[in-house]
Amino acid sequence: MDKKNESTHVIDKMTVFKDLTKNQKKILKENSAISSYKKNEIIYKEGDKPTGLIFLAKGKVKIFKEGVGGREQIVRMAKQNGFIGFRALFAKQNYLATAQSIESSEICTIEKRCLFDILEENGKFSLGIIEFLASELGFSNTRTVTLTQKHIRGRLAESLLFLKDTYGFESDGNTLKVYLSREDLANLSNMTTSNAIRTLSSFSNEEVIALEGKKICILDKAALERISELG
Amino acid sequence: MDKKNESTHVIDKMTVFKDLTKNQKKILKENSAISSYKKNEIIYKEGDKPTGLIFLAKGKVKIFKEGVGGREQIVRMAKQNGFIGFRALFAKQNYLATAQSIESSEICTIEKRCLFDILEENGKFSLGIIEFLASELGFSNTRTVTLTQKHIRGRLAESLLFLKDTYGFESDGNTLKVYLSREDLANLSNMTTSNAIRTLSSFSNEEVIALEGKKICILDKAALERISELG
DNA sequence: ACATTTGTATGCTTAAAAACATATAAGTCT
DNA sequence: AGACTTATATGTTTTTAAGCATACAAATGT
């Protein structure tokens, strides 16, 4: 029930909420709660029941599923001002994946019941959610194909480009603004940690990227795109 | 603009449309067109622009994406009374996949504009679509993990169980009510045709299934589930 | 009815990636 | 600071599945 200065509330800044009336926004704000997570904390777990729509006010979060033998597959990466946990909520199911912060994060949870009430009464808002879900589904289908069909180099190159598109660069213009462990990078790209490390090294030797600890600089974007395309 | 006897129209029989008013249903019916496809005909292609929501009144359809080197990956299988082409329509994008009938089929296309109008004015209907899309997204995410992590036998076993869940059995109680080529079965399960044939033979030797041309009988469902689970 | 194409089946070879084994570097914790 | 854990790096072996070749059966066209 956090009710800070209204004009700076996160709900006022988001384009998804643009079709809401003043009153509807007010209701959402009154029924939302803010909480903080340190790096590597679990926000929700596979099997949990959603309590509301979670809005990532600050930080970065990975969403992953446990697969064969506990092997993780990252299915989504959330960034500041993005949603997490919406799928289970809208499908009226329990979570099918786990959300974990990869850096210190702040989330805002909008209470379920009042969100659904507003969805039902505001058609434009619902249509926005429909469009968003359909886009996510397209992304997921495309990803299924690339993760199953591309070879290791192609998958890793694609992941690096994906991270660039999602989080962008630091102010130097070529360092990825996200710091993943080699293991997370592997879990994103459907490969073992060894192969992620090895393939990163290759890219580094080929001067397509530069490595410095967890920092990854993209030196030759065109080359990465070529590698991603060719399987 | 097909307008047959209203009480038997497909829109009256579908549960997704249950929250529509009489008048809304009437509008949809007046703005829908029916067409027929023979086996193996393309209904829409990757890149095409959606003209409406397509409803499969009769038949079976596969939806696939072209991957690396033209290799197909089937991302969905539609059955009688299911929708196809909804994703691109709702995302306001062009199709990301191709839909092709696998037996003679009849489709009913609901004109785009009037569907969106009704979605905007009927909140309950929109919520139904939201729930449907979110479920599909869960299915897609789960499938990504199994297709990338399970081994060939596990993937094929899962596909056979999926086909059983989707299309059910013939009246004998164990013959799958869908007849796919070995190639389609491979494209559904992310493997080469050779490996699909080989693995089907193994299952047949192990008396988990029985084969007779394109007919597949599931003899030991528990065994298939075990194979699907163990990777 | 015949030729031609397409689909199914199986064996063999090769390539890709996982699994395993260490080694070293970097963090974390008293 | 030193012990201990975790992350990164790289070499070697083994497994898995793709690729290729060939044979045969079934469907299709003329």
Coordinates of all heavy atoms in Angstrom, one line a residue, chain A residues 119-194:
Chain A
L119 N -9.0 -4.4 -16.1 CA -8.9 -5.0 -17.4 C -10.2 -5.2 -18.0 O -10.5 -5.0 -19.2 CB -8.2 -6.3 -17.3 CG -6.7 -6.4 -17.4 CD1 -6.2 -7.8 -17.1 CD2 -6.2 -5.9 -18.8
E120 N -11.2 -5.6 -17.2 CA -12.5 -5.9 -17.7 C -13.3 -4.7 -18.1 O -14.0 -4.7 -19.0 CB -13.3 -6.7 -16.6 CG -14.5 -7.4 -17.2 CD -15.2 -8.3 -16.2 OE1 -14.5 -8.9 -15.4 OE2 -16.5 -8.4 -16.3
E121 N -13.0 -3.6 -17.4 CA -13.8 -2.4 -17.7 C -13.1 -1.5 -18.7 O -13.7 -0.6 -19.3 CB -14.2 -1.6 -16.4 CG -13.0 -0.9 -15.7 CD -13.3 -0.3 -14.3 OE1 -14.1 -1.0 -13.6 OE2 -12.9 0.8 -14.1
N122 N -11.8 -1.7 -18.9 CA -11.1 -0.8 -19.9 C -10.6 -1.6 -21.1 O -9.6 -2.3 -21.0 CB -10.0 -0.1 -19.2 CG -9.3 1.0 -20.1 OD1 -9.2 0.8 -21.3 ND2 -8.9 2.0 -19.4
G123 N -11.4 -1.5 -22.2 CA -11.1 -2.3 -23.4 C -9.7 -2.0 -24.0 O -9.0 -2.9 -24.5
K124 N -9.4 -0.7 -24.0 CA -8.1 -0.3 -24.7 C -6.9 -0.9 -23.9 O -6.0 -1.3 -24.5 CB -8.0 1.2 -24.7 CG -8.7 1.9 -25.8 CD -8.0 3.1 -26.3 CE -8.4 3.6 -27.7 NZ -9.9 3.9 -27.7
F125 N -7.0 -0.9 -22.6 CA -6.0 -1.4 -21.8 C -5.9 -2.9 -22.0 O -4.7 -3.4 -22.2 CB -6.3 -1.2 -20.3 CG -5.3 -1.7 -19.3 CD1 -4.0 -1.5 -19.5 CD2 -5.8 -2.3 -18.1 CE1 -3.0 -1.9 -18.5 CE2 -4.8 -2.8 -17.2 CZ -3.5 -2.6 -17.4
S126 N -7.0 -3.6 -22.1 CA -7.0 -5.1 -22.4 C -6.3 -5.3 -23.7 O -5.5 -6.3 -23.9 CB -8.4 -5.6 -22.4 OG -9.0 -5.6 -21.2
L127 N -6.7 -4.5 -24.7 CA -6.1 -4.7 -26.0 C -4.6 -4.6 -26.0 O -3.9 -5.3 -26.7 CB -6.7 -3.8 -27.1 CG -8.0 -4.2 -27.7 CD1 -8.5 -3.2 -28.7 CD2 -7.8 -5.5 -28.5
G128 N -4.1 -3.6 -25.2 CA -2.7 -3.4 -25.1 C -2.0 -4.7 -24.5 O -1.0 -5.1 -24.9
I129 N -2.7 -5.3 -23.5 CA -2.1 -6.5 -22.9 C -2.1 -7.6 -23.9 O -1.2 -8.4 -24.0 CB -2.9 -6.9 -21.6 CG1 -2.9 -5.8 -20.6 CG2 -2.5 -8.2 -21.1 CD1 -1.5 -5.6 -20.0
I130 N -3.2 -7.7 -24.7 CA -3.3 -8.8 -25.7 C -2.2 -8.6 -26.7 O -1.5 -9.6 -27.0 CB -4.7 -8.7 -26.4 CG1 -5.8 -9.2 -25.5 CG2 -4.7 -9.4 -27.7 CD1 -7.2 -9.1 -26.0
E131 N -1.9 -7.4 -27.1 CA -0.8 -7.2 -28.1 C 0.5 -7.6 -27.5 O 1.3 -8.2 -28.1 CB -0.8 -5.7 -28.5 CG 0.2 -5.4 -29.6 CD 0.1 -4.0 -30.1 OE1 -0.9 -3.3 -29.8 OE2 1.1 -3.5 -30.7
F132 N 0.7 -7.2 -26.2 CA 1.9 -7.5 -25.5 C 2.2 -9.0 -25.4 O 3.2 -9.6 -25.8 CB 1.9 -6.9 -24.1 CG 3.0 -7.3 -23.2 CD1 4.3 -6.9 -23.5 CD2 2.7 -8.1 -22.1 CE1 5.4 -7.3 -22.6 CE2 3.8 -8.5 -21.2 CZ 5.1 -8.1 -21.5
L133 N 1.1 -9.8 -25.0 CA 1.2 -11.2 -24.9 C 1.5 -11.9 -26.2 O 2.3 -12.8 -26.3 CB -0.1 -11.8 -24.3 CG -0.3 -11.6 -22.8 CD1 -1.7 -12.0 -22.3 CD2 0.8 -12.3 -22.0
A134 N 0.8 -11.4 -27.3 CA 1.0 -12.0 -28.6 C 2.4 -11.8 -29.1 O 3.0 -12.6 -29.7 CB 0.0 -11.4 -29.6
S135 N 3.0 -10.6 -28.7 CA 4.4 -10.3 -29.1 C 5.3 -11.3 -28.4 O 6.3 -11.8 -29.0 CB 4.8 -8.9 -28.8 OG 4.1 -8.0 -29.6
E136 N 5.1 -11.5 -27.1 CA 5.9 -12.4 -26.3 C 5.9 -13.8 -26.9 O 6.9 -14.5 -26.9 CB 5.4 -12.4 -24.9 CG 5.8 -11.2 -24.1 CD 7.3 -11.1 -23.8 OE1 7.9 -12.2 -23.5 OE2 7.9 -10.0 -23.9
L137 N 4.7 -14.2 -27.3 CA 4.5 -15.5 -27.9 C 5.3 -15.7 -29.2 O 5.9 -16.7 -29.4 CB 3.0 -15.8 -28.1 CG 2.6 -17.2 -28.6 CD1 3.2 -18.3 -27.7 CD2 1.1 -17.3 -28.8
G138 N 5.4 -14.6 -30.0 CA 6.2 -14.7 -31.2 C 7.6 -14.8 -30.9 O 8.4 -15.6 -31.5
F139 N 8.1 -14.0 -29.9 CA 9.4 -14.1 -29.4 C 9.8 -15.5 -29.0 O 10.8 -16.1 -29.4 CB 9.7 -13.1 -28.3 CG 11.0 -13.2 -27.7 CD1 12.1 -12.6 -28.3 CD2 11.2 -13.8 -26.5 CE1 13.4 -12.7 -27.7 CE2 12.5 -13.9 -25.9 CZ 13.6 -13.3 -26.5
S140 N 8.9 -16.1 -28.2 CA 9.2 -17.4 -27.6 C 9.2 -18.5 -28.8 O 10.1 -19.3 -28.8 CB 8.1 -17.8 -26.6 OG 8.2 -19.1 -26.2
N141 N 8.3 -18.4 -29.7 CA 8.4 -19.3 -30.8 C 9.6 -19.2 -31.7 O 10.2 -20.2 -32.1 CB 7.2 -19.1 -31.8 CG 5.9 -19.6 -31.2 OD1 5.9 -20.5 -30.3 ND2 4.8 -19.1 -31.6
T142 N 10.0 -18.0 -31.9 CA 11.2 -17.7 -32.7 C 12.5 -18.3 -31.9 O 13.3 -18.9 -32.5 CB 11.4 -16.2 -32.9 OG1 10.3 -15.8 -33.6 CG2 12.7 -15.9 -33.8
R143 N 12.4 -18.1 -30.6 CA 13.6 -18.5 -29.8 C 13.6 -20.1 -29.8 O 14.7 -20.6 -29.8 CB 13.3 -18.0 -28.4 CG 14.5 -18.1 -27.5 CD 15.0 -16.8 -27.0 NE 16.1 -17.1 -26.1 CZ 17.4 -17.1 -26.6 NH1 17.6 -16.8 -27.8 NH2 18.4 -17.4 -25.8
T144 N 12.5 -20.7 -29.7 CA 12.5 -22.2 -29.8 C 13.3 -22.7 -31.0 O 14.1 -23.6 -30.9 CB 11.0 -22.7 -29.9 OG1 10.3 -22.3 -28.7 CG2 11.0 -24.2 -29.9
V145 N 13.0 -22.1 -32.1 CA 13.6 -22.5 -33.4 C 15.1 -22.2 -33.3 O 15.9 -23.1 -33.7 CB 13.0 -21.8 -34.6 CG1 13.7 -22.2 -35.9 CG2 11.5 -22.3 -34.7
T146 N 15.5 -21.0 -32.9 CA 17.0 -20.8 -32.9 C 17.7 -21.6 -31.9 O 18.8 -22.1 -32.2 CB 17.3 -19.3 -32.7 OG1 16.8 -18.9 -31.4 CG2 16.6 -18.4 -33.7
L147 N 17.1 -21.8 -30.7 CA 17.8 -22.6 -29.7 C 17.9 -24.1 -30.1 O 18.9 -24.7 -29.8 CB 17.1 -22.5 -28.4 CG 17.3 -21.2 -27.6 CD1 16.5 -21.3 -26.3 CD2 18.7 -20.9 -27.3
T148 N 17.0 -24.5 -30.9 CA 17.1 -25.9 -31.3 C 17.9 -26.1 -32.6 O 18.5 -27.2 -32.8 CB 15.7 -26.6 -31.6 OG1 15.0 -25.7 -32.5 CG2 14.9 -26.6 -30.3
Q149 N 17.9 -25.1 -33.5 CA 18.5 -25.3 -34.8 C 19.9 -24.7 -35.0 O 20.7 -25.3 -35.7 CB 17.6 -24.8 -35.9 CG 16.3 -25.6 -35.9 CD 15.5 -25.4 -37.2 OE1 15.9 -24.6 -38.0 NE2 14.4 -26.1 -37.3
K150 N 20.2 -23.6 -34.3 CA 21.5 -23.0 -34.5 C 22.6 -23.8 -33.8 O 22.3 -24.4 -32.8 CB 21.5 -21.6 -34.1 CG 20.8 -20.6 -35.0 CD 20.9 -19.2 -34.5 CE 20.1 -18.3 -35.5 NZ 20.2 -16.9 -35.0
H151 N 23.8 -23.7 -34.3 CA 24.9 -24.3 -33.6 C 25.4 -23.4 -32.5 O 25.0 -22.2 -32.4 CB 26.0 -24.6 -34.6 CG 25.7 -25.8 -35.5 ND1 26.6 -26.2 -36.5 CD2 24.7 -26.6 -35.5 CE1 26.0 -27.2 -37.1 NE2 24.9 -27.5 -36.5
I152 N 26.3 -23.9 -31.7 CA 26.7 -23.2 -30.5 C 27.2 -21.8 -30.8 O 26.7 -20.9 -30.1 CB 27.9 -24.0 -29.8 CG1 27.3 -25.2 -29.0 CG2 28.7 -23.1 -28.9 CD1 28.1 -25.7 -27.9
R153 N 28.0 -21.6 -31.7 CA 28.5 -20.2 -32.0 C 27.3 -19.3 -32.4 O 27.2 -18.2 -31.9 CB 29.5 -20.2 -33.2 CG 30.9 -20.8 -32.7 CD 31.8 -21.0 -33.9 NE 32.0 -19.8 -34.8 CZ 33.0 -19.0 -34.6 NH1 33.8 -19.1 -33.6 NH2 33.1 -17.9 -35.3
G154 N 26.4 -19.8 -33.2 CA 25.2 -19.0 -33.6 C 24.4 -18.7 -32.4 O 23.9 -17.5 -32.3
R155 N 24.2 -19.7 -31.5 CA 23.3 -19.4 -30.4 C 23.9 -18.4 -29.4 O 23.2 -17.5 -28.9 CB 23.1 -20.7 -29.6 CG 22.4 -21.8 -30.4 CD 21.7 -22.8 -29.5 NE 22.5 -23.5 -28.6 CZ 23.1 -24.7 -28.9 NH1 23.0 -25.1 -30.1 NH2 23.9 -25.3 -28.0
L156 N 25.2 -18.5 -29.2 CA 25.9 -17.5 -28.3 C 25.9 -16.1 -28.9 O 25.6 -15.1 -28.3 CB 27.3 -18.0 -28.0 CG 28.0 -17.1 -27.0 CD1 27.3 -17.2 -25.6 CD2 29.5 -17.5 -26.8
A157 N 26.2 -16.1 -30.2 CA 26.2 -14.8 -30.9 C 24.8 -14.1 -30.8 O 24.7 -12.9 -30.5 CB 26.6 -14.9 -32.4
E158 N 23.8 -14.9 -31.0 CA 22.4 -14.4 -30.9 C 22.1 -13.9 -29.5 O 21.5 -12.8 -29.3 CB 21.4 -15.5 -31.3 CG 20.0 -14.9 -31.3 CD 18.9 -15.9 -31.7 OE1 18.8 -16.1 -32.9 OE2 18.2 -16.4 -30.8
S159 N 22.6 -14.6 -28.5 CA 22.3 -14.2 -27.1 C 23.0 -12.9 -26.8 O 22.4 -12.0 -26.2 CB 22.9 -15.3 -26.1 OG 22.0 -16.4 -26.2
L160 N 24.2 -12.7 -27.3 CA 24.9 -11.5 -27.1 C 24.2 -10.3 -27.7 O 24.0 -9.2 -27.1 CB 26.4 -11.5 -27.6 CG 27.3 -12.6 -26.9 CD1 28.7 -12.7 -27.6 CD2 27.5 -12.2 -25.4
L161 N 23.7 -10.5 -29.0 CA 22.9 -9.5 -29.6 C 21.6 -9.2 -28.9 O 21.2 -8.1 -28.8 CB 22.7 -9.9 -31.1 CG 23.9 -10.0 -32.0 CD1 23.6 -10.6 -33.3 CD2 24.4 -8.5 -32.2
F162 N 21.0 -10.3 -28.4 CA 19.8 -10.1 -27.6 C 20.1 -9.3 -26.4 O 19.3 -8.4 -26.0 CB 19.3 -11.5 -27.2 CG 18.3 -11.5 -26.1 CD1 17.0 -11.1 -26.3 CD2 18.7 -11.9 -24.9 CE1 16.1 -11.0 -25.3 CE2 17.8 -11.9 -23.8 CZ 16.5 -11.5 -24.0
L163 N 21.2 -9.5 -25.7 CA 21.5 -8.8 -24.5 C 21.7 -7.3 -24.8 O 21.3 -6.4 -24.1 CB 22.7 -9.4 -23.8 CG 22.5 -10.7 -23.1 CD1 23.8 -11.3 -22.6 CD2 21.5 -10.7 -22.0
K164 N 22.4 -7.1 -26.0 CA 22.6 -5.7 -26.4 C 21.3 -5.0 -26.7 O 21.0 -3.9 -26.2 CB 23.4 -5.8 -27.7 CG 23.8 -4.4 -28.2 CD 23.8 -4.4 -29.8 CE 22.4 -3.9 -30.2 NZ 22.1 -4.2 -31.6
D165 N 20.3 -5.7 -27.4 CA 19.0 -5.1 -27.7 C 18.2 -4.9 -26.4 O 17.5 -3.9 -26.3 CB 18.2 -6.0 -28.6 CG 18.8 -6.1 -30.0 OD1 19.5 -5.1 -30.4 OD2 18.5 -7.0 -30.7
T166 N 18.4 -5.8 -25.4 CA 17.6 -5.6 -24.2 C 18.1 -4.6 -23.3 O 17.4 -3.7 -22.7 CB 17.5 -7.0 -23.5 OG1 17.0 -8.0 -24.4 CG2 16.5 -6.9 -22.3
Y167 N 19.4 -4.6 -23.0 CA 20.0 -3.8 -22.0 C 20.9 -2.6 -22.5 O 21.3 -1.7 -21.8 CB 20.8 -4.6 -21.0 CG 20.0 -5.6 -20.3 CD1 20.1 -7.0 -20.5 CD2 19.1 -5.2 -19.3 CE1 19.3 -7.9 -19.9 CE2 18.3 -6.1 -18.6 CZ 18.4 -7.5 -18.9 OH 17.6 -8.4 -18.2
G168 N 21.2 -2.7 -23.8 CA 22.0 -1.7 -24.4 C 23.5 -1.6 -23.9 O 23.9 -2.6 -23.3
F169 N 24.2 -0.6 -24.2 CA 25.6 -0.4 -23.9 C 25.8 0.5 -22.8 O 25.0 1.4 -22.5 CB 26.3 0.1 -25.1 CG 26.4 -0.9 -26.3 CD1 26.1 -0.5 -27.6 CD2 26.9 -2.2 -26.1 CE1 26.2 -1.4 -28.6 CE2 27.0 -3.1 -27.1 CZ 26.7 -2.7 -28.4
E170 N 26.9 0.4 -22.1 CA 27.4 1.4 -21.2 C 27.8 2.7 -22.0 O 27.8 2.6 -23.2 CB 28.7 0.9 -20.5 CG 28.5 -0.3 -19.6 CD 27.7 -0.1 -18.3 OE1 27.3 1.1 -18.1 OE2 27.5 -1.0 -17.5
S171 N 28.1 3.7 -21.3 CA 28.4 5.0 -22.0 C 29.5 4.9 -23.0 O 29.6 5.8 -23.9 CB 28.6 6.1 -21.0 OG 29.6 5.7 -20.1
D172 N 30.4 3.9 -22.9 CA 31.5 3.8 -23.8 C 31.0 3.3 -25.2 O 31.8 3.3 -26.2 CB 32.6 2.8 -23.3 CG 32.1 1.4 -23.2 OD1 30.9 1.1 -23.5 OD2 32.9 0.5 -22.8
G173 N 29.8 2.9 -25.3 CA 29.2 2.6 -26.6 C 29.4 1.2 -27.1 O 28.9 0.8 -28.2
N174 N 30.2 0.4 -26.3 CA 30.3 -1.0 -26.8 C 30.4 -2.1 -25.7 O 30.4 -3.3 -26.0 CB 31.5 -1.2 -27.8 CG 32.8 -0.9 -27.1 OD1 32.9 -0.7 -25.9 ND2 33.9 -1.0 -27.8
T175 N 30.3 -1.7 -24.4 CA 30.3 -2.6 -23.3 C 28.8 -2.9 -23.0 O 28.0 -2.0 -22.7 CB 31.0 -2.1 -22.1 OG1 32.3 -1.8 -22.4 CG2 31.0 -3.1 -21.0
L176 N 28.5 -4.2 -23.0 CA 27.1 -4.6 -22.6 C 26.8 -4.2 -21.2 O 27.5 -4.4 -20.3 CB 27.0 -6.2 -22.7 CG 26.9 -6.8 -24.1 CD1 26.7 -8.3 -23.9 CD2 25.8 -6.2 -24.9
K177 N 25.6 -3.6 -21.1 CA 25.1 -3.0 -19.8 C 24.4 -4.1 -19.0 O 23.4 -3.9 -18.4 CB 24.2 -1.8 -20.1 CG 24.2 -0.8 -18.9 CD 23.5 0.4 -19.3 CE 23.5 1.4 -18.2 NZ 23.0 2.7 -18.7
V178 N 25.0 -5.3 -19.0 CA 24.5 -6.4 -18.1 C 25.7 -7.3 -17.9 O 26.5 -7.6 -18.8 CB 23.3 -7.1 -18.9 CG1 23.7 -7.7 -20.2 CG2 22.7 -8.2 -18.0
Y179 N 25.7 -7.8 -16.6 CA 26.9 -8.6 -16.2 C 26.4 -10.0 -15.8 O 26.0 -10.1 -14.6 CB 27.7 -7.8 -15.2 CG 28.2 -6.5 -15.7 CD1 27.4 -5.4 -15.7 CD2 29.4 -6.4 -16.3 CE1 27.8 -4.2 -16.3 CE2 29.8 -5.2 -16.9 CZ 29.0 -4.1 -16.9 OH 29.5 -3.0 -17.5
L180 N 26.5 -10.9 -16.7 CA 26.1 -12.3 -16.4 C 27.3 -13.1 -16.1 O 28.4 -12.9 -16.7 CB 25.3 -12.8 -17.6 CG 24.0 -12.2 -17.9 CD1 23.4 -12.9 -19.2 CD2 23.0 -12.5 -16.8
S181 N 27.1 -14.2 -15.3 CA 28.1 -15.2 -15.1 C 28.2 -16.0 -16.4 O 27.2 -16.0 -17.2 CB 27.8 -16.1 -14.0 OG 26.6 -16.8 -14.2
R182 N 29.3 -16.7 -16.6 CA 29.4 -17.6 -17.8 C 28.3 -18.6 -17.8 O 27.7 -19.1 -18.8 CB 30.7 -18.3 -17.8 CG 31.9 -17.3 -17.8 CD 32.0 -16.5 -19.1 NE 33.3 -15.8 -19.2 CZ 33.5 -14.5 -19.1 NH1 32.5 -13.7 -18.7 NH2 34.7 -14.0 -19.3
E183 N 27.9 -19.0 -16.5 CA 26.9 -20.0 -16.4 C 25.5 -19.5 -16.8 O 24.8 -20.2 -17.6 CB 26.8 -20.5 -14.9 CG 25.9 -21.7 -14.7 CD 25.9 -22.1 -13.2 OE1 26.5 -21.4 -12.3 OE2 25.2 -23.1 -12.9
D184 N 25.2 -18.3 -16.5 CA 23.9 -17.7 -16.9 C 23.9 -17.5 -18.4 O 22.9 -17.8 -19.1 CB 23.7 -16.3 -16.2 CG 23.1 -16.5 -14.8 OD1 22.6 -17.6 -14.5 OD2 23.2 -15.5 -14.1
L185 N 25.0 -17.1 -19.0 CA 25.1 -16.9 -20.4 C 24.9 -18.3 -21.1 O 24.2 -18.4 -22.1 CB 26.5 -16.4 -20.7 CG 26.7 -15.5 -22.0 CD1 25.6 -14.5 -22.1 CD2 28.1 -14.9 -21.9
A186 N 25.4 -19.4 -20.5 CA 25.2 -20.7 -21.0 C 23.8 -21.1 -20.9 O 23.2 -21.6 -21.9 CB 26.1 -21.7 -20.3
N187 N 23.1 -20.8 -19.8 CA 21.7 -21.1 -19.6 C 20.8 -20.3 -20.5 O 19.7 -20.8 -20.8 CB 21.3 -20.9 -18.1 CG 22.0 -21.9 -17.2 OD1 22.5 -22.9 -17.7 ND2 22.1 -21.6 -15.9
L188 N 21.2 -19.2 -20.9 CA 20.5 -18.4 -21.8 C 20.6 -19.0 -23.2 O 19.6 -18.9 -24.0 CB 21.0 -17.0 -21.8 CG 20.3 -15.9 -22.7 CD1 18.9 -15.7 -22.4 CD2 21.1 -14.6 -22.7
S189 N 21.7 -19.5 -23.5 CA 22.0 -19.9 -24.9 C 21.9 -21.4 -25.1 O 22.3 -21.9 -26.2 CB 23.5 -19.5 -25.3 OG 23.7 -18.2 -24.8
N190 N 21.4 -22.2 -24.2 CA 21.3 -23.6 -24.3 C 22.6 -24.3 -24.6 O 22.7 -25.0 -25.6 CB 20.2 -24.0 -25.3 CG 20.0 -25.5 -25.5 OD1 20.1 -26.2 -24.6 ND2 19.8 -25.9 -26.7
M191 N 23.5 -24.2 -23.7 CA 24.8 -24.9 -23.8 C 25.4 -25.1 -22.4 O 24.9 -24.5 -21.5 CB 25.7 -24.1 -24.7 CG 26.1 -22.7 -24.3 SD 27.2 -21.8 -25.5 CE 26.0 -21.6 -26.8
T192 N 26.5 -25.9 -22.4 CA 27.1 -26.0 -21.1 C 28.0 -24.8 -20.8 O 28.4 -24.1 -21.7 CB 28.0 -27.3 -21.1 OG1 28.9 -27.2 -22.1 CG2 27.2 -28.6 -21.2
T193 N 28.3 -24.7 -19.5 CA 29.2 -23.5 -19.1 C 30.5 -23.6 -19.8 O 31.0 -22.6 -20.3 CB 29.4 -23.5 -17.6 OG1 28.1 -23.6 -17.0 CG2 30.1 -22.3 -17.1
S194 N 31.1 -24.8 -19.9 CA 32.4 -25.0 -20.6 C 32.3 -24.4 -22.0 O 33.2 -23.7 -22.5 CB 32.8 -26.4 -20.7 OG 32.8 -27.0 -19.4

